[in-house]
Amino acid sequence: EVQLVESGGGLVQPGGSLRLSCAASGFTFRNYAMSWVRQAPGKGLEWVSTITGSDGSTYYADSVKGRFTISRGNSKNTLYLQMNSLTAGDTAIYHCAQNDAASGTVFDYWGQGALVTVSS
Amino acid sequence: EIVLTQSPGTLSLSPGERVTLSCRASQSLSSTYLAWYQQKPGQAPRLLIFDASKRPTGIPDRFSGSASGTDFTLTISRLEPEDFAVYYCQQYGDSPRRMWAFGQGTKVEIK
């Protein structure tokens, strides 16, 4: 059974940094692209970033490019999101998701998410 | 940039009714890369449809998807009580760079 468990969320001041982790189990982690998708309170889903499984290529939404860094530790079956220069607009639940094996274009499995609150 | 517009914003329906949700893409991309998700309050989204019309294992056959050009449709043939939720479409594009995008969602609520 695929399991994705996020951690590292919390309250951070504007301009601050936070690193999220996503512990993966139930599948061969290194073989899959992985993503972060966020959801602001009461709002819809927003794709944040994706990292491929094969060569670790990374992709970012314009809203976070230059501030967020996605990475992975294949030996630890863990996905990371380093978030810098945080603003109130980054307040959201951050879900990690497994991309499908065939094309990497959809999100097959999701974690419950970690809440990040940016406030002074 | 991929922009997906879902309509309507909210639907008020009764169990047993047929539901049709729409998602329009701002540009013509491969219909292969269109997916639908269901999200219930306090839960993570769940993949319902991929490649515009295919169901993952375990998704009931009352859920179906179709495509016509830049217009995509999710149909629930007969609403069950557990189907009241928010539905999102999602598309993938790779020109000029790889990106993923979601529509703003349609809420299906009990009438």
Side-chain angles (χ1 to χ4, degrees), chain B residues 66 90 104:
Chain B
S66 64
Q90 174 255 316
Q104 81 275 23

Side-chain angles (χ1 to χ4, degrees), chain B residues 3-4 9 11 20-21 30-31 36 40-41 46 48 53 68-69 73 76 80 83 85 96-98 100 102 105 107-108:
Chain B
V3 177
L4 299 173
L11 275 172
T20 300
L21 308 181
S30 172
S31 64
W36 290 91
K40 299 178 184 179
R46 177 175 72 146
L48 289 180
S53 61
S68 177
T73 300
I76 309 173
E80 297 289 339
D83 298 337
R97 60 185 177 88
R98 297 184 74 179
W100 292 253
F102 290 91
K107 182 178 182 180
V108 177

